[in-house]
Amino acid sequence: MRIGDFEIDAERYYSDAEAGQAIGRTRSTLATDRCKRRGLPYTKLGRKVFYRGRDIIEFVERNRVVFVEHRK
């Protein structure tokens, strides 16, 4: 899936910097989201945090806004 300038591979894991760039959030915002148990699911190995491509794609899809035209 392409998100802006990023091609997201569903099977790959992305660093917090890469995931943040893909969805337009800073690393500190992602860290705050982790602390507050919201946002993207993540995997933590030691001090490193990774985001699965499939989860990034699903997050983007869940947050998609669709406008419906109302006719009179």
Side-chain angles (χ1 to χ4, degrees):
M1 172 182 210
R2 190 168 244 341
I3 302 172
D5 294 336
F6 298 92
E7 184 67 36
I8 301 295
D9 177 1
E11 299 306 315
R12 183 177 163 225
Y13 281 81
Y14 294 86
S15 69
D16 57 346
E18 293 169 320
Q21 283 182 321
I23 64 170
R25 295 204 173 155
T26 64
R27 291 175 70 194
S28 62
T29 299
L30 291 174
T32 299
D33 287 348
R34 289 192 304 271
C35 243
K36 294 184 176 184
R37 299 185 181 272
R38 63 180 187 204
L40 287 167
Y42 64 94
T43 300
K44 192 162 185 180
L45 298 171
R47 299 175 98 188
K48 295 187 181 218
V49 176
F50 298 96
Y51 296 91
R52 190 172 60 166
R54 179 171 306 146
D55 293 329
I56 296 170
I57 293 167
E58 289 173 4
F59 177 81
V60 169
E61 290 295 323
R62 275 194 318 266
N63 288 285
R64 189 170 76 104
V65 177
V66 178
F67 293 102
V68 178
E69 183 180 331
H70 295 292
R71 296 183 184 200
K72 292 182 179 183

